[in-house]
Amino acid sequence: SEIDVLQSFAFVSEKYGYVRPILNSTNEIKVISSRHPVVEKVLKDAEYVPNDIIIDGKMLMITGSNTGGKTVALKTVGLLSLMAISGLAVPAISASIPFFDAVYTDIGDEQSIEQSLSTYSSHMKKLIYILEHATCRSLILIDEIGSGTDPQEGACLGEAILDTLLRRDCRIVA
């Protein structure tokens, strides 16, 4: 079964033009013409625009209108990083990705009636966990930081969280 799994990975990689990523020690993320493998398959023949994602500093801040592209780009960075450190080929023309010790995420809204968690509380719970565990070798993905509360308070809180993670030398996509 293990050989079947490996052959399946190789087949998919060859069929869809995935490449073997270079695992680097520079903390630079560089993926050219990257594609989110799930979105690419769902859209099939629809217009799909690959992204060049280059993070040669500590943080990439993605902004723009609310059309979902920012979240897809954020998830693509995370998924391709996890694929690379798992030894899998990635959907891109070329890729160089650090070997992260962990990938932490705060993506989506997980409010819970059972646990009495609001949208804001759910985000805070995840962000507290990230702040307690992230190291200089971690990748942090945060979607809509500071959302779910007063915009001014959320902006100040978001800035403080990002400043703390930057001081730790984490790689951040937000």
Side-chain angles (χ1 to χ4, degrees), residues 2 5-14 18-24 78-91 95 97-100 103:
E2 289 179 28
V5 169
L6 293 173
Q7 285 182 318
S8 297
F9 287 144
F11 174 77
V12 168
S13 297
E14 187 174 318
Y18 290 14
V19 297
R20 188 177 67 199
I22 296 167
L23 291 174
N24 69 55
L79 184 56
L80 270 56
S81 296
L82 290 169
M83 289 173 73
I85 63 178
S86 298
L88 300 175
V90 299
I97 298 171
F99 193 90
F100 294 109
V103 177

Side-chain angles (χ1 to χ4, degrees), residues 80-140:
L80 270 56
S81 296
L82 290 169
M83 289 173 73
I85 63 178
S86 298
L88 300 175
V90 299
I93 289 176
S94 68
S96 177
I97 298 171
F99 193 90
F100 294 109
D101 65 356
V103 177
Y104 296 102
T105 65
D106 178 19
I107 300 172
D109 180 5
E110 292 184 19
Q111 57 182 312
S112 168
I113 294 171
E114 295 87 23
Q115 295 179 1
S116 298
L117 286 177
S118 67
T119 297
Y120 178 71
S121 298
S122 173
H123 285 296
M124 290 291 40
K125 188 175 179 181
K126 290 180 202 170
L127 291 169
I128 289 167
Y129 182 86
I130 291 169
L131 288 169
E132 289 174 343
H133 295 90
T135 72
C136 65
R137 299 292 302 152
S138 299
L139 174 62
I140 315 297

Side-chain angles (χ1 to χ4, degrees), residues 24-160:
N24 69 55
S25 59
T26 65
N27 286 336
E28 176 185 70
I29 299 171
K30 185 175 185 178
V31 286
I32 305 301
S33 289
S34 65
R35 307 174 313 273
H36 189 293
V38 175
V39 174
E40 182 180 40
K41 301 309 168 254
V42 169
L43 292 178
K44 293 183 180 159
D45 295 329
E47 183 68 26
Y48 185 85
V49 179
N51 290 297
D52 293 347
I53 301 170
I54 301 169
I55 307 171
D56 57 0
K58 294 181 184 181
M59 181 169 67
L60 172 63
M61 182 70 69
I62 305 173
T63 64
S65 60
N66 193 14
T67 57
K70 298 179 300 296
T71 301
V72 170
L74 184 112
K75 289 179 177 182
T76 300
V77 172
L79 184 56
L80 270 56
S81 296
L82 290 169
M83 289 173 73
I85 63 178
S86 298
L88 300 175
V90 299
I93 289 176
S94 68
S96 177
I97 298 171
F99 193 90
F100 294 109
D101 65 356
V103 177
Y104 296 102
T105 65
D106 178 19
I107 300 172
D109 180 5
E110 292 184 19
Q111 57 182 312
S112 168
I113 294 171
E114 295 87 23
Q115 295 179 1
S116 298
L117 286 177
S118 67
T119 297
Y120 178 71
S121 298
S122 173
H123 285 296
M124 290 291 40
K125 188 175 179 181
K126 290 180 202 170
L127 291 169
I128 289 167
Y129 182 86
I130 291 169
L131 288 169
E132 289 174 343
H133 295 90
T135 72
C136 65
R137 299 292 302 152
S138 299
L139 174 62
I140 315 297
L141 307 170
I142 304 174
D143 194 20
E144 298 185 20
I145 190 165
S147 66
T149 189
D150 174 82
Q152 280 190 315
E153 291 175 7
C156 292
L157 185 59
E159 185 177 346

